[in-house]
Amino acid sequence: MVSSQPIAGPLLKWYDKAKRDLPWRRTQDPYAIFVSEMMLQQTQVKTVIPYYGNFLKEFPTWKALAKANPDKVLKLWEGLGYYRRARNLQAAAQMIAKDFKGKLPDSLDEIVKLPGVGRYSAGAVLSIAYGKRVPLVDGNVIRVFSRVFLLKGNLKAGEGHQQVWRVAEEQVPAQRPGDYNQALMELGATVCLSDNPLCLLCPLIAICGASQKGLQAGFPERSEADKTVDIAMTCLFLEDKGKVLIKKRSEEEKWLKGMWEFPSAEGKTFEEAQKKLEKELQASITLPLLKEVRHQITHHKIKLRFFGARRKSAKALGKAYQWVTRAELSKYPFASAQNQLRDWVLKNTPSEPAKTSPQKSIRFKLE
Ligand code: SF4
């Protein structure tokens, strides 16, 4: 067992005064708390607030979510990122309806059987919704513990990560474990910031090793896993008889499964991505760059280039593809980078059906 000075006392005292008034802190409904915890993973509070309200309005119960159209669930999640969470949330609702008589399980053994529920989510939901003494560890907790207790090495994986969990288990109090877990995350989000932590406002300053030694900037230590990977992505705009080609991302994709997009391919270089895409669609690029978008998914830095293209073959495409009108484009769930391309298409391309060949109808404003 890790030996560490208890932090619950000062932390809870601070939380009672400083906590933000957030919508999911006004409810005891396990369903609403579960939804909020799924949304809050790797996402800032201010981003989550409107999504949380809209989601609960549309799907107020496990049952409503379980039987919803999956595209509608993803559409409500559009812009929130990490779309697997939405799919897991619906799968969890279906499992709760089928295997748990419509009630969120209150034991660790059972709750981790739900799709998308790992140790972090289990700790958050069990402690907040049911008052169970269960710890949690997320990026904020890692930062706070690494500084307070001067924990070194890679704390996101392997032995270092286990060490953080041992500290978390030791620290979580029997009284008010849900408030304590929220206080810990709140401290990481609002006071113990990555850059320039606000130590003078911190309830843990008297026991924080990093603050006492002036080492805040060195904790947590950076690891190889923090390094980003560059990915080149090419996307194509294809139009035929006034309809635009879009594709549903398959279950085999690394990320954004089930989301819709303008057909895309990835590679180490744009040329590699372009070749893959032209081969799959039997198409060739006919216009220079229409738009470039940069975005990041976990530690992958993606640079996406969007070109106009023309198919060289009339052969039918697979089931994942659909030709849709511009008006229909907005009904499909698109992730944020693809959403920018959709906005670009709606703003810059003519909406009248092509009367001659598709390419003659393209009169884009190039960027
Ligand atoms: Fe973080 Fe500073 Fe508080 Fe230490 S004293 S936990 S470094 S904010």
Side-chain angles (χ1 to χ4, degrees):
M1 192 62 102
V2 175
S3 170
S4 50
Q5 194 169 339
I7 61 171
L11 195 57
L12 282 166
K13 217 165 153 188
W14 167 81
Y15 183 68
D16 288 340
K17 283 195 203 132
K19 73 176 172 198
R20 291 169 290 179
D21 177 25
L22 302 174
W24 44 90
R25 289 185 179 156
R26 295 177 215 140
T27 179
Q28 284 301 307
D29 176 9
Y31 170 69
I33 291 168
F34 191 90
V35 169
S36 72
E37 283 306 325
M38 289 294 145
M39 289 188 165
L40 285 163
Q41 286 170 24
Q42 313 203 44
T43 311
Q44 291 191 346
V45 160
K46 68 173 189 304
T47 309
V48 167
I49 289 174
Y51 284 90
Y52 172 79
N54 292 339
F55 199 89
L56 288 185
K57 209 162 145 197
E58 191 65 38
F59 310 120
T61 60
W62 293 114
K63 204 171 160 190
L65 179 58
K67 61 182 190 189
N69 177 331
D71 267 355
K72 198 171 174 188
V73 177
L74 284 173
K75 184 72 191 164
L76 269 181
W77 208 273
E78 193 179 80
L80 196 54
Y82 301 100
Y83 296 91
R84 186 188 298 178
R85 295 177 299 173
R87 292 152 52 83
N88 281 336
L89 185 52
Q90 186 174 34
Q94 288 161 349
M95 194 187 247
I96 284 167
K98 189 168 153 273
D99 300 340
F100 296 102
K101 299 180 181 160
K103 189 177 173 290
L104 180 72
D106 64 0
S107 75
L108 192 55
D109 287 350
E110 285 190 320
I111 203 168
V112 292
K113 290 179 187 160
L114 298 174
V117 176
R119 275 175 96 182
Y120 163 79
S121 309
V125 174
L126 291 176
S127 65
I128 298 168
Y130 293 131
K132 301 271 177 180
R133 185 177 177 260
V134 187
L136 58 74
V137 169
D138 73 347
N140 284 324
V141 175
I142 287 176
R143 188 163 60 255
V144 173
F145 282 175
S146 76
R147 287 172 172 169
V148 173
F149 302 116
L150 294 175
L151 306 181
K152 292 189 169 188
N154 178 10
L155 304 180
K156 291 185 180 163
E159 173 51 28
H161 196 55
Q162 294 313 318
Q163 188 186 10
V164 180
W165 272 101
R166 286 195 292 273
V167 176
E169 269 165 27
E170 187 187 66
Q171 288 287 343
V172 66
Q175 300 296 319
R176 302 178 63 194
D179 282 348
Y180 162 84
N181 280 336
Q182 291 188 83
L184 201 47
M185 292 187 288
E186 184 99 339
L187 190 79
T190 63
V191 175
C192 193
L193 307 170
S194 294
D195 301 321
N196 305 318
L198 309 172
C199 299
L200 293 177
L201 301 177
C202 181
L204 305 181
I205 190 166
I207 51 174
C208 175
S211 178
Q212 282 162 19
K213 296 187 173 179
L215 295 174
Q216 297 94 320
F219 287 85
E221 293 179 341
R222 290 183 71 76
S223 69
E224 281 294 304
D226 293 324
K227 288 193 179 150
T228 54
V229 178
D230 290 323
I231 290 181
M233 185 179 267
T234 297
C235 279
L236 296 187
F237 175 87
L238 289 118
E239 187 190 25
D240 191 16
K241 301 186 186 82
K243 291 195 169 181
V244 175
L245 186 65
I246 59 172
K247 183 187 181 192
K248 186 171 192 168
R249 289 177 68 84
S250 78
E251 294 302 312
E252 280 75 52
E253 299 283 359
K254 208 166 17 183
W255 47 55
L256 307 178
K257 298 180 209 297
M259 298 300 282
W260 288 80
E261 64 176 19
F262 297 100
S264 75
E266 291 162 26
K268 288 201 180 97
T269 63
F270 288 108
E271 290 69 32
E272 185 187 321
Q274 181 181 328
K275 271 187 196 152
K276 275 191 217 167
L277 199 52
E278 287 182 326
K279 190 171 169 209
E280 183 182 336
L281 294 171
Q282 306 207 349
S284 57
I285 289 178
T286 54
L287 282 170
L289 183 65
L290 302 175
K291 186 166 177 65
E292 185 168 291
V293 176
R294 289 163 196 247
H295 72 127
Q296 192 156 344
I297 300 179
T298 60
H299 62 291
H300 299 91
K301 261 188 173 168
I302 299 170
K303 203 193 261 184
L304 184 159
R305 290 186 177 165
F306 191 40
F307 297 92
R310 177 170 51 191
R311 292 200 71 213
K312 293 182 285 189
S313 154
K315 215 172 136 200
L317 292 161
K319 265 198 320 204
Y321 290 92
Q322 275 195 35
W323 292 95
V324 299
T325 65
R326 284 167 177 72
E328 287 167 337
L329 267 180
S330 304
K331 294 182 191 159
Y332 291 83
F334 277 53
S336 64
Q338 288 282 338
N339 202 12
Q340 290 184 49
L341 301 187
R342 176 170 60 187
D343 288 348
W344 188 92
V345 166
L346 293 174
K347 199 168 144 218
N348 294 285
T349 70
S351 55
E352 288 298 307
K355 293 197 174 68
T356 55
S357 80
Q359 291 317 301
K360 283 189 181 159
S361 72
I362 298 177
R363 300 182 298 274
F364 302 154
K365 191 175 87 193
L366 300 175
E367 296 205 332

